[in-house]
Amino acid sequence: MPSKRKKRLSMTETVQSYAMISVGVIGLFIFVVLPLLWVLRYCLFSYKGFGEIRFVGFDNFVRVFQRSPKFWLSVRTTFVFAVGKLCVELPLALVLACMLAKKLKGRTFFRSLFFMPSMLSVAVIGVIFSYMFSSYNGVVNEIIKLINGVGGIKFFSKASTALMVLMIASVWQNFGFNMLFFMTGLQSIPEDLYEAARIDGATERQQFFKITIPMLGPVIQMVVLNALLGSLKVTDLVLVLTDGNPLGQTETIMTYVYKQFFTGSSGAPDYGYASALVVVSAVILGIVTVIYLTSTKKGSEIY
Amino acid sequence: MKRKKWNILVYLFLGIIAVFTLIPLLYTLSASFKTNPEIAAGGAHLIPKEFTLDNYKQVWSVGQEGHTFWTFTKNSIFVSLLTVVGTVIVTSMSAYCFQRRHFPGKKLLYNIFLATMFIGAGAITMFPLMQITSSLQLNNLIGVVLVQVFSTSAANLFLTMGYMKTISVELDQAALIDGCSYFGIFWRIILPLCKPILATVSLMSFQGSWNNYLLPNIMTSMKPAMQTLVVAIVKLKSSGGAGATQYNLMMAGTMFAVLPILTIYIFMNQYFVEGVTAGAVKG
């Protein structure tokens, strides 16, 4: 008798749970899973949006690997962008976090201020920085003029300077966000460790490299992965700030692939080819993640 | 003595970074009060020589393509508020099922949730997404809301589940004995008790939705009346292509998008900080 009662109860539980979870599941299926399936289906076909949908096997992938120099240029640009800006952003975030993790007057103020840019829209940041760095009379040009007399740099007409502006804008937006994570990590390090080290006569420098950094290992690992993937996926900033110009030299993976669906490389877009690009890009991001996680395994285990 | 010197250096460094953080925002604010000729003439001065409110008036009343920024602001508010409501309902309900209830296939569903939320490819699946939504007649603001609600980050789910764990299961059992249904437990007990964490989730999803660019841009292309603020501002940038770019209008428009979110941030910054860090550090 009790077992029967239990079974009936769990039956109602199951029914009600399914009813509640179904909203999320159906939505997830339509708006997240279906687009992925769409891509997986079309990557083996050739389809220009009209006419016949032709099965071409792996031809699209062959084209991606053998006849898509612009895509691989965008891959290269993306990695240059990501590595370049992270080399500035993460050390800056860590240094600020170390300063602000201690008792310091105005600590909350600085923390809130540095985190503020992360609250803004990436696209709007693009607009702001396009004003700051505009050619001839932009604010940055005027400031340069004040310092050395000559301004007039056309930041957006050379690939190197355009990429630099992208990096600066991205660092400006994200350093506070990463700083916040480092701060949380720092605050979770027990104070006794430092106390013990001080009693043993360790200098501040030794404390930093022998206690702070190793104890922060897992947090650093997570922050770097987050920041790396975020940078490799940069989209809105590029679309608004440079739109891939000059000559597609600042196109990133996301913007290049995204545009392939709309304009294509030679006139009409080929959805099959674009889908293959999506698959390859996703695989690239996946490989980066796996390589990163396996190669940093040791660092995160020290904790 | 050494301590003091060190402190001065620390404050100097913090000060430099503070200036770096503020400069773009201050110049944006300043340009929104300058006339276009003054901006075009250049100069690195922050205080406008000729202080004007015309930019705001023009953006607010004339706007572009026959639609004013009042329309765009309304669209942004509409989309963001509905996204918040939807996200709170879907996140809390899913979190409740995964955290509290037992049903066959729970583990599988949970893993599917996590996997898809992490895979979420963003811009590169935007086109397929558009194909799907337009075949459902959803290439409008409602579509933007639905996509934002259902592709919500795994962080929200984790955050809510983590909080629910701290609510005593005995409450559920007591309610069950008193004849409450499973949905009733969620609605009458869990949901009210989760208010603090749902406040954080609301703020995060409001901010995400208010700031979103690519999705509303795609879903409302060819429908200028449906543009959100961010989309309209970026349009201002590209429409100024011929001749002088209208930076004055762009910057005034930017202030419309930036000020609400900054005001919320200033008053609620603790919630944001909590939301951002708590969701991720645990993972």
Side-chain angles (χ1 to χ4, degrees), chain B:
Chain B
M1 191 57 211
K2 203 184 153 205
R3 194 84 252 164
K4 209 165 181 188
K5 233 180 181 172
W6 176 246
N7 258 345
I8 292 173
L9 275 178
V10 165
Y11 277 113
L12 193 70
F13 187 71
L14 290 177
I16 292 172
I17 303 298
V19 170
F20 169 70
T21 310
L22 279 173
I23 274 192
L25 293 174
L26 290 179
Y27 273 104
T28 304
L29 183 67
S30 143
S32 72
F33 292 116
K34 287 178 181 172
T35 60
N36 212 29
E38 188 179 339
I39 293 174
H45 56 283
L46 259 177
I47 314 283
K49 281 177 197 143
E50 198 185 324
F51 186 88
T52 172
L53 284 172
D54 282 355
N55 305 327
Y56 286 94
K57 279 185 204 150
Q58 200 175 337
V59 162
W60 193 251
S61 59
V62 180
Q64 52 178 320
E65 293 167 11
H67 302 283
T68 66
F69 264 62
W70 172 226
T71 314
F72 306 144
T73 309
K74 273 193 296 192
N75 291 341
S76 275
I77 293 174
F78 173 79
V79 168
S80 304
L81 287 185
L82 278 189
T83 302
V84 168
V85 174
T87 307
V88 165
I89 292 174
V90 172
T91 307
S92 59
M93 217 146 70
S94 311
Y96 169 72
C97 291
F98 286 134
Q99 219 283 305
R100 278 298 216 269
R101 300 276 61 94
H102 304 281
F103 53 94
K106 176 169 125 175
K107 199 143 203 184
L108 178 74
L109 276 181
Y110 183 63
N111 285 332
I112 293 175
F113 256 72
L114 290 197
T116 48
M117 280 168 170
F118 279 117
I119 292 169
I124 50 178
T125 51
M126 205 53 96
F127 182 80
L129 185 64
M130 195 179 97
Q131 296 280 305
I132 290 160
T133 47
S134 61
S135 68
L136 294 171
Q137 303 289 319
L138 279 174
N139 44 351
N140 49 32
L141 292 180
I142 296 290
V144 175
V145 170
L146 288 175
V147 174
Q148 284 178 353
V149 167
F150 289 113
S151 55
T152 170
S153 71
N156 284 341
L157 191 67
F158 279 146
L159 211 60
T160 320
M161 282 176 68
Y163 193 86
M164 274 181 197
K165 222 186 221 163
T166 64
I167 300 172
S168 165
V169 187
E170 276 147 36
L171 285 176
D172 296 31
Q173 285 157 354
L176 211 56
I177 290 167
D178 288 346
C180 199
S181 68
Y182 291 98
F183 180 77
I185 297 174
F186 164 71
W187 189 249
R188 288 168 207 276
I189 298 173
I190 303 292
L191 199 61
L193 285 175
C194 278
K195 263 183 204 155
I197 200 65
L198 293 177
T200 304
V201 169
S202 305
L203 278 178
M204 305 286 285
S205 56
F206 182 88
Q207 183 248 358
S209 167
W210 183 269
N211 286 342
N212 208 351
Y213 165 65
L214 202 55
L215 181 70
N217 184 32
I218 293 257
M219 303 278 266
T220 63
S221 62
M222 314 294 183
K223 294 174 191 153
M226 284 191 186
Q227 288 172 49
T228 59
L229 267 178
V230 172
V231 173
I233 291 161
V234 175
K235 269 255 168 71
L236 267 182
K237 178 177 183 276
S238 44
S239 65
T245 315
Q246 294 178 305
Y247 280 119
N248 56 338
L249 298 187
M250 255 162 67
M251 294 300 122
T254 298
M255 291 316 290
F256 280 123
V258 165
L259 277 183
I261 211 78
L262 282 191
T263 316
I264 296 176
Y265 172 66
I266 288 168
F267 288 108
M268 311 243 171
N269 100 46
Q270 201 52 45
Y271 284 99
F272 280 111
V273 170
E274 237 166 68
V276 166
T277 50
V281 167
K282 271 181 199 146

Side-chain angles (χ1 to χ4, degrees), chain A residues 116-122 125 172-173, chain B residues 25 211 258 261-262:
Chain A
M116 192 170 66
S118 313
M119 287 290 110
L120 305 182
S121 162
V122 187
I125 290 174
W172 184 79
Q173 191 203 5
Chain B
L25 293 174
N211 286 342
V258 165
I261 211 78
L262 282 191

Side-chain angles (χ1 to χ4, degrees), chain A residues 83-97:
Chain A
V83 173
K85 73 154 244 211
L86 290 182
C87 283
V88 180
E89 182 180 304
L90 293 174
L92 177 66
L94 185 58
V95 168
L96 288 173

